[in-house]
Amino acid sequence: MALTSILNGTITTDGTEQTVGSAQTTDASYTGYIDLTNNASGDTIVIRLKVRINSSDIVVIKDTFSGAQTEPLYHFPPLPSTENFVVTIEKTGGTNRAYDYRIMTL
């Protein structure tokens, strides 16, 4: 399988649940990274991965990170999706910060 980078950039949190990049609707397996280097003491973020089942986006993975990260590169495993694949980030505590990301297909 070929690995293809489809989205990369930076998202700055604003205290709401925000979509990282954009929702993906192509049939594929998706994987990617979010760089948590900017997370600092007092910061808490929640990352959610969602797939669509019967017209609803359902959380399949939810991870919470608090404070500075000693291993700051978050990786999510390949997840197949045939309708909608969404990665979100939400700042639930601390200061809004910028996070770099890259999403790929397999």
Side-chain angles (χ1 to χ4, degrees):
M1 283 186 200
L3 183 66
T4 304
S5 179
I6 58 168
L7 292 170
N8 66 300
T10 303
I11 187 165
T12 300
T13 57
D14 65 7
T16 66
E17 184 178 11
Q18 300 165 259
T19 299
V20 176
S22 60
Q24 299 302 303
T25 58
T26 302
D27 293 358
S29 288
Y30 296 90
T31 187
Y33 301 99
I34 299 176
D35 184 353
L36 305 178
T37 298
N38 291 339
N39 228 45
S41 178
D43 292 343
T44 301
I45 61 165
V46 178
I47 297 172
R48 294 177 184 90
L49 292 99
K50 304 175 184 181
V51 294
R52 182 160 292 170
I53 304 292
N54 292 330
S55 75
S56 296
D57 291 341
I58 299 177
V59 175
V60 75
I61 295 175
K62 176 182 172 185
D63 289 311
T64 302
F65 299 90
S66 296
Q69 301 298 298
T70 56
E71 296 175 0
L73 191 58
Y74 173 77
H75 170 255
F76 58 89
L79 294 170
S81 179
T82 58
E83 287 188 46
N84 211 41
F85 177 82
V86 179
V87 178
T88 67
I89 189 169
E90 180 180 10
K91 176 68 73 171
T92 59
T95 303
N96 289 320
R97 302 191 189 278
Y99 298 92
D100 293 332
Y101 64 87
R102 180 174 304 274
I103 298 175
M104 298 158 280
T105 60
L106 297 174

